[in-house]
Amino acid sequence: MIAVVVLLTLTGPSQIFANVPDFTGVDEAARDAVASGEIPGVVVLVGRGDETLYHRAWGWRTLVPTPVPMTIDTIFDIASLTKPLGTTIAVMALVDRGALKLDAPLGSYLREFRGRPFEQVTIHRILTHSAGFPALPPNGTLNGGFPAAARALAQRPLDYPPGTGFQYSDTGFILLGEVVRRVSGEPLDRYLERILVRPLGLRDTTFRPSGVMRARVAPTEFQNGALLQGQVHDPRARLLGGVAGHAGMFSTTDDLARICRMLLDGGELDGRRVLRDSTVRTMWARAPDVDGARALGWDMSSSFSRAMAPFFPPESVGHTGFTGTAVWIDPPTRTYMIVLTNRVHPSGGGAARIRELRIRVAAAVGAALFLPPSLPVSVASATGPAADEGDTGDGTLPMLPSRAAGVVRTGLDVLVAQNFAPFQGHAVGLITNQTGIDARGRRAIDLFASAPGARLVAIFSPEHGLTGDATTEVPHGRDALTGVPIWSLYGPARRPTPEMLRGVSVLVFDIQDIGVRYYTYLTTLVYVMEEAGRRGIPVVVLDRPNPITGRIVEGPVMDPDLRSFTAPHELPVRTGLTIGEFARMVAAERKLPVSLTVVPVAGWERSRWYDETGLPWVNPSPNIRSVTEALLYSGIGLLEGTNLSVGRGTDTPFELVGAPWIDPHALADALNAQRLPGVRFEPVMFTPTDDNYARVTCWGVRLAVTDRAAVRPVTVAFAVAGALRTQHRDQFRPENIQLLLVHRPTMWAFLRSEPLDRLVGWAEMERASFLNRRASYLIYP
């Protein structure tokens, strides 16, 4: 094992290296992966510029027919790492030489694609997976190889208009491999041998290893009774003779490190230039045609990067491969991480385990190497409750007198009082669910269906469906009472499509939110506004109270590059907004070209909890059954992705946290000793009926809220996670907190075991800025 290097150098404007990088978490993750029996062996290399900081192998290169230990010089089938580290470099080298233009249509280089349907299919769009090609080539199209494959693929329709979507596509990169062959006059493997492999002195990088190299190749799985060792695992690459643009390369961590160093040094290594510096910068720039989620040939923050990108700085790039491989690079700090495994050996398993390994290794490397700017003094100790008056500095507004007896009317109730006058002559598309009721319990669906002068022509349902009890994807349907079609926005499509919007003249959104950033109804609203804006359809949001008040803002503002279905906009975890205020903020800050109207709640104040409104409570989702559970969800929900039960499958979800391996009394004592305001921890035993540990006895704590105005659920969640990390480090897997937290500084600090007050400080570092942003969009006092 190579010795750890002490790093002290300031390396960028937004982060510095930790003084003593601690890669213990990498070792723990790799050992656990091998011990699981699902991943035979692992090799990890971490480097910074020309320095190798960490390089180690674990487990077995080969299990059958004869076990062979894993070594750091093992050669791996790197699968889709071929795309960025092979094909993309080849394409960009041709761009460098003026032989290829990124904005040129594919038909300029493959004559089979010169027809009108492919005019907007550019090299750039193929590199960003936004060209419209299917994910995989249709069966039979690659038989016989090229050029016949080009003719066959050109006869198939695109999946979507180029530039209008994103779909990770092997098909596109297979075609890029053929582009390289026709433009350069050499097959992809020979071209890369000439411009990359020989100049960089790569000893073990090739498409078809043979001879003495094959003995060091980690085999994959059995095909037709024979073990694949030195033959590409991907069946489409095998059809193409082992050389393809999407897969087929074999390499080692050392060779891949040299490629990473070349790219980080602006396209040159040891005096041998492969690419111009400007070309590398172009390749790694965020591509606007996929909302900045990808660069040319590289991932940045797409859905495929969720195991890696959240733990590296925002401008990092990388890729993963099916056989269990990954590379992630941070250009500003010249840092890179390479993870190679043989997870498909010998029988093709290990899919869940490789995701866990990637997350844990990326998290450990990120926490070891990256530090955000210094913690602002003003938020260095922010664990206490808000004061009752004035600007508390805790994200609250001054406390207003309670008006629990006052009449509160939702936006829907306001419309009912107006007899739906604004919708005269409109064909209404209604986005709603079981929470879309008026004060008398009548469905918005029925009220719009009978509204004078309006026509209800379409219903759209979010996650959990129209009745709020679905726990998987929701199909389309038809409302039994009105006969109006129901379009699901939580299935294969999560945005309203042109077909769904046909004949709709106005979209109305009426769903009860709970004031938490990762509650997916917010994202559904964003998608509705974006699609409505593209088609000139106005949107009306019927506002509803924030059930956990609009006074308190808690938790970190998410990193903007990590948007996802559970991270729709740059908000803290507990938003302090109603859904109407959220809509105003998103429309303005994203400059959406949508006509937006918010029908406000009448009689509601920010200090009022939902159970003080007099409105009927309807569970907004299956496991939010009370105001207390909505409140706790704003923090304990962060723990859902870990290996804990948060009480789903019990009568009190989010009021319980446990696992079979927890010492409940020790955990309760440790948490109560911290004297967190507004909450008490009680040892408990419970058996959930579904979700994590279904029908398995769990031990843990019950969260008894003693003062709901004082409790800070995000702080509570970190206190629970920190205590478990101290008491049960070998069992607790906290890395997936980042999937909903999506804030690198706070997660890095947690993984470095910083104390709770500093964790809260990191989490609240952008609070003042958010409160200033929020002020313009508030509707209620």
Side-chain angles (χ1 to χ4, degrees):
M1 173 179 168
I2 293 177
V4 172
V5 179
V6 177
L7 302 172
L8 299 170
T9 307
L10 183 66
T11 57
S14 62
Q15 62 274 326
I16 61 173
F17 287 106
N19 289 339
V20 181
D22 178 4
F23 295 109
T24 302
V26 177
D27 184 67
E28 292 173 344
R31 288 180 184 276
D32 288 347
V34 172
S36 74
E38 297 179 53
I39 295 179
V42 182
V43 181
V44 174
L45 187 152
V46 181
R48 182 200 64 180
D50 295 336
E51 296 178 285
T52 299
L53 307 180
Y54 186 82
H55 197 186
R56 189 167 181 185
W58 300 261
W60 303 92
R61 174 191 297 169
T62 303
L63 292 176
V64 293
T66 303
V68 176
M70 184 65 77
T71 60
I72 61 173
D73 65 347
T74 295
I75 300 169
F76 290 85
D77 176 343
I78 65 171
S80 283
L81 295 190
T82 302
K83 293 180 175 78
L85 296 171
T87 305
T88 299
I89 290 176
V91 168
M92 299 309 289
L94 290 170
V95 171
D96 246 3
R97 291 153 177 76
L100 199 65
K101 293 183 178 180
L102 290 172
D103 59 357
L106 177 61
S108 298
Y109 310 106
L110 301 184
R111 60 183 179 277
E112 295 88 345
F113 290 87
R114 288 179 181 166
R116 178 175 290 243
F118 304 106
E119 287 178 349
Q120 300 304 312
V121 175
T122 63
I123 301 300
H124 186 285
R125 284 174 173 158
I126 300 174
L127 286 166
T128 59
H129 301 274
S130 60
F133 285 121
L136 300 174
N139 290 337
T141 53
L142 300 184
N143 294 346
F146 286 96
R151 292 194 296 272
L153 289 170
Q155 291 170 6
R156 301 301 178 101
L158 296 172
D159 278 7
Y160 58 92
T164 66
F166 164 75
Q167 179 170 260
Y168 183 82
S169 176
D170 281 359
T171 307
F173 270 77
I174 288 170
L175 290 169
L176 286 178
E178 177 65 1
V179 169
V180 171
R181 185 187 72 82
R182 295 195 194 180
V183 174
S184 71
E186 298 175 278
L188 178 63
D189 58 338
R190 293 182 192 170
Y191 183 66
L192 283 171
E193 174 76 21
R194 179 166 63 84
I195 66 112
L196 179 71
V197 174
R198 287 202 302 269
L200 296 190
L202 307 181
R203 295 177 297 177
D204 299 312
T205 299
T206 184
F207 276 83
R208 289 177 287 208
S210 60
V212 67
M213 288 178 62
R214 184 168 292 189
R216 284 191 290 121
V217 172
T220 52
E221 59 182 316
F222 285 92
Q223 292 288 333
N224 301 319
L227 189 64
L228 296 175
Q229 185 172 20
Q231 297 151 319
V232 64
H233 178 265
D234 184 90
R236 286 158 291 279
R238 286 204 304 277
L239 276 175
L240 295 171
V243 179
H246 71 299
M249 281 178 66
F250 288 75
S251 194
T252 62
T253 49
D254 276 326
D255 275 7
L256 295 183
R258 289 186 65 78
I259 298 175
C260 292
R261 288 169 54 198
M262 176 272 294
L263 294 172
L264 288 168
D265 285 345
E268 182 179 7
L269 184 68
D270 298 337
R272 303 298 300 271
R273 180 161 295 282
V274 176
L275 297 172
R276 295 175 183 169
D277 179 71
S278 60
T279 301
V280 176
R281 291 197 303 270
T282 296
M283 179 178 69
W284 280 346
R286 289 188 179 275
D289 49 359
V290 283
D291 293 329
R294 297 195 66 103
L296 298 182
W298 294 79
D299 203 346
M300 296 190 81
S301 54
S302 81
S303 57
F304 291 86
S305 73
R306 294 292 180 248
M308 318 290 284
F311 301 100
F312 268 61
E315 295 310 307
S316 63
V317 297
H319 215 283
T320 59
F322 183 84
T323 52
T325 59
V327 168
W328 218 263
I329 303 173
D330 183 47
T333 61
R334 302 180 69 243
T335 305
Y336 55 93
M337 176 189 73
I338 302 165
V339 181
L340 302 182
T341 81
N342 53 349
R343 70 99 176 165
V344 295
H345 177 65
S347 56
R353 187 67 63 175
I354 190 61
R355 175 176 172 78
E356 177 185 318
L357 176 66
R358 286 171 177 156
I359 289 174
R360 291 182 64 188
V361 171
V365 171
L369 294 184
F370 303 112
L371 281 170
S374 299
L375 182 64
V377 174
S378 61
V379 296
S381 296
T383 58
D388 284 343
E389 295 182 5
D391 184 356
T392 67
D394 191 42
T396 70
L397 297 174
M399 180 72 78
L400 296 171
S402 175
R403 287 183 9 196
V407 176
V408 174
R409 295 183 299 157
T410 67
L412 177 61
D413 292 314
V414 171
L415 272 189
V416 170
Q418 297 173 353
N419 203 24
F420 293 89
F423 295 94
Q424 290 277 339
H426 274 290
V428 177
L430 178 63
I431 304 95
T432 192
N433 64 3
Q434 77 286 353
T435 66
I437 60 172
D438 71 355
R440 294 167 54 186
R442 297 177 297 179
R443 296 192 311 166
I445 293 172
D446 302 318
L447 293 169
F448 271 97
S450 60
R455 291 183 301 115
L456 180 63
V457 298
I459 301 167
F460 301 86
S461 65
E463 184 180 4
H464 306 302
L466 195 63
T467 55
D469 53 9
T471 56
T472 58
E473 287 194 345
V474 180
H476 302 311
R478 191 170 291 275
D479 182 56
L481 293 181
T482 64
V484 175
I486 303 170
W487 298 103
S488 171
L489 298 181
Y490 194 74
R494 297 194 176 182
R495 295 173 175 270
T497 65
E499 178 188 6
M500 298 176 188
L501 295 173
R502 187 173 296 118
V504 172
S505 65
V506 63
L507 285 165
V508 179
F509 190 97
D510 186 27
I511 295 176
Q512 177 65 60
D513 177 48
I514 64 169
V516 180
R517 183 186 67 215
Y518 40 78
Y519 211 53
T520 63
Y521 301 159
L522 295 179
T523 308
T524 296
L525 174 55
V526 173
Y527 289 174
V528 165
M529 290 196 296
E530 288 177 339
E531 298 307 315
R534 291 186 179 104
R535 292 164 179 81
I537 301 173
V539 173
V540 178
V541 175
L542 307 184
D543 210 5
R544 291 179 173 270
N546 184 325
I548 58 177
T549 83
R551 292 185 61 246
I552 299 169
V553 169
E554 191 194 7
V557 176
M558 62 164 284
D559 289 336
D561 64 302
L562 297 179
R563 286 181 185 170
S564 71
F565 198 64
T566 53
H569 195 63
E570 291 77 89
L571 303 171
V573 174
R574 187 173 175 185
T575 67
L577 297 166
T578 68
I579 200 161
E581 292 170 334
F582 167 77
R584 283 160 52 94
M585 172 180 278
V586 170
E589 294 188 343
R590 295 198 190 181
K591 298 180 172 58
L592 298 182
V594 62
S595 172
L596 173 68
T597 302
V598 176
V599 180
V601 182
W604 184 72
E605 299 158 347
R606 310 197 74 78
S607 61
R608 192 177 295 191
W609 298 80
Y610 195 91
D611 53 15
E612 296 174 332
T613 65
L615 296 170
W617 172 267
V618 176
N619 295 342
S621 57
N623 285 282
I624 304 295
R625 304 167 189 168
S626 67
V627 173
T628 296
E629 288 170 5
L631 173 65
L632 289 174
Y633 177 75
S634 69
I636 301 304
L638 292 169
L639 304 180
E640 283 197 84
T642 72
N643 58 337
L644 298 173
S645 168
V646 294
R648 288 183 182 269
T650 74
D651 291 337
T652 53
F654 306 108
E655 298 180 47
L656 302 170
V657 177
W661 35 264
I662 289 176
D663 179 337
H665 293 281
L667 179 59
D669 289 347
L671 291 169
N672 285 323
Q674 297 189 57
R675 300 185 180 278
L676 298 177
V679 64
R680 183 180 68 252
F681 301 90
E682 303 168 351
V684 69
M685 179 187 75
F686 62 95
T687 304
T689 58
D690 60 22
D691 208 62
N692 287 354
Y693 306 118
R695 295 174 294 280
V696 176
T697 299
C698 292
W699 304 88
V701 292
R702 180 187 308 280
L703 285 71
V705 175
T706 59
D707 184 345
R708 65 184 183 180
V711 68
R712 295 294 178 264
V714 176
T715 301
V716 170
F718 274 114
V720 171
L724 288 173
R725 189 162 169 83
T726 298
Q727 297 178 1
H728 300 282
R729 184 180 176 97
D730 289 344
Q731 291 89 14
F732 183 42
R733 301 286 176 262
E735 292 82 6
N736 277 345
I737 290 172
Q738 175 69 335
L739 300 185
L740 295 180
L741 186 72
V742 286
H743 189 249
R744 295 175 178 93
T746 305
M747 196 66 210
W748 288 332
F750 174 82
L751 293 170
R752 291 194 301 268
S753 300
E754 293 194 8
L756 183 61
D757 61 340
R758 285 186 59 82
L759 286 183
V760 176
W762 289 119
E764 302 297 329
M765 62 189 296
E766 297 172 30
R767 179 183 56 223
S769 174
F770 174 75
L771 293 178
N772 288 335
R773 287 171 48 208
R774 183 182 77 147
S776 300
Y777 311 110
L778 298 183
I779 300 173
Y780 311 97

